[in-house]
Amino acid sequence: MAQLYQCYAPAIMMYLCRQVPLREDAEDVLLEVFQAAVESEILPTLKEGKQRTWLWSTAHNKVADHYRRKSRRPNLSLGLEEMAEVLDADDSSVPELVALRKEAYAELRTYIVSLPELQQEILHLRFAHGLNCSEIAQQLGKNHGATRTMLSRSLNHLRSIYRQNRKDQSHG
């Protein structure tokens, strides 16, 4: 395995750097490729050319997986990221953070309440109950694709409300 890594890792890393914008992410994907190689029962039994093909195919698939994961967790606006930091902060000993957290939750609740009822329910099932799209679809009696679309639209709608309110606050 070490020989495979020495032989192919530099070239695969160059490929990954062209496919994935952040070097850190490319390094993570490279790690996933060789982790899969270590865990593979088939790879050691293959001839050298087939091993190379297996590694490159795995690298390609891991890049696709990387983008799938990213699309499931879309980037939020900077304001929402800042809000998440406040919400995630360890505030047990900092009263200012407790106040900021309560304010951020109240603001978020206000935005969510302004969404249509179905969008509110989808967000609630996803984030309060931790259900995935298939489970939400089953709960709502909808198909998986429609549920994914509704979840995406709900998050996009919430983001647009958030951005508009931020824009209004900065002008007012």
Side-chain angles (χ1 to χ4, degrees):
M1 199 53 61
Q3 185 179 7
L4 281 176
Y5 184 84
Q6 288 175 349
C7 187
Y8 296 110
I12 292 173
M13 184 62 184
M14 285 178 29
Y15 164 76
L16 295 173
C17 284
R18 287 191 308 267
Q19 301 299 314
V20 179
L22 296 176
R23 182 170 180 82
E24 294 82 14
D25 289 344
E27 290 169 349
D28 290 345
V29 174
L30 182 67
L31 179 64
E32 291 177 21
V33 170
F34 281 94
Q35 182 178 354
V38 167
E39 294 171 356
S40 172
E41 295 175 8
I42 296 169
L43 187 64
T45 66
L46 299 175
K47 293 183 179 177
E48 184 180 343
K50 295 284 186 184
Q51 287 178 333
R52 181 183 61 231
T53 302
W54 188 96
L55 286 170
W56 281 100
S57 176
T58 301
H60 174 78
N61 292 337
K62 294 296 181 181
V63 167
D65 291 346
H66 169 78
Y67 282 106
R68 266 191 227 101
R69 283 191 305 269
K70 277 214 172 282
S71 71
R72 289 183 189 141
R73 291 182 229 128
N75 291 334
L76 302 175
S77 71
L78 184 59
L80 282 176
E81 287 174 355
E82 290 167 348
M83 185 183 288
E85 286 177 22
V86 169
L87 296 176
D88 290 338
D90 178 17
D91 60 10
S92 57
S93 63
V94 184
E96 293 85 9
L97 287 178
V98 172
L100 286 173
R101 177 178 283 198
K102 286 181 181 178
E103 190 176 306
Y105 276 136
E107 184 178 12
L108 186 57
R109 271 193 298 274
T110 301
Y111 299 156
I112 291 172
V113 169
S114 71
L115 295 173
E117 191 174 317
L118 181 58
Q119 290 181 340
Q120 289 180 42
E121 185 173 4
I122 288 172
L123 291 172
H124 181 77
L125 291 171
R126 176 68 184 102
F127 296 104
H129 292 282
L131 301 181
N132 63 35
C133 284
S134 296
E135 293 165 332
I136 295 170
Q138 193 173 29
Q139 188 86 10
L140 297 177
K142 306 264 184 208
N143 75 40
H144 178 79
T147 302
R148 285 178 54 107
T149 300
M150 285 189 285
L151 178 59
S152 175
R153 287 181 180 162
S154 300
L155 289 170
N156 288 335
H157 192 177
L158 187 59
R159 279 188 203 96
S160 68
I161 292 168
Y162 180 84
R163 287 184 187 123
Q164 184 60 46
N165 284 315
R166 286 290 175 223
K167 185 178 173 184
D168 292 346
Q169 288 174 2
S170 69
H171 287 46

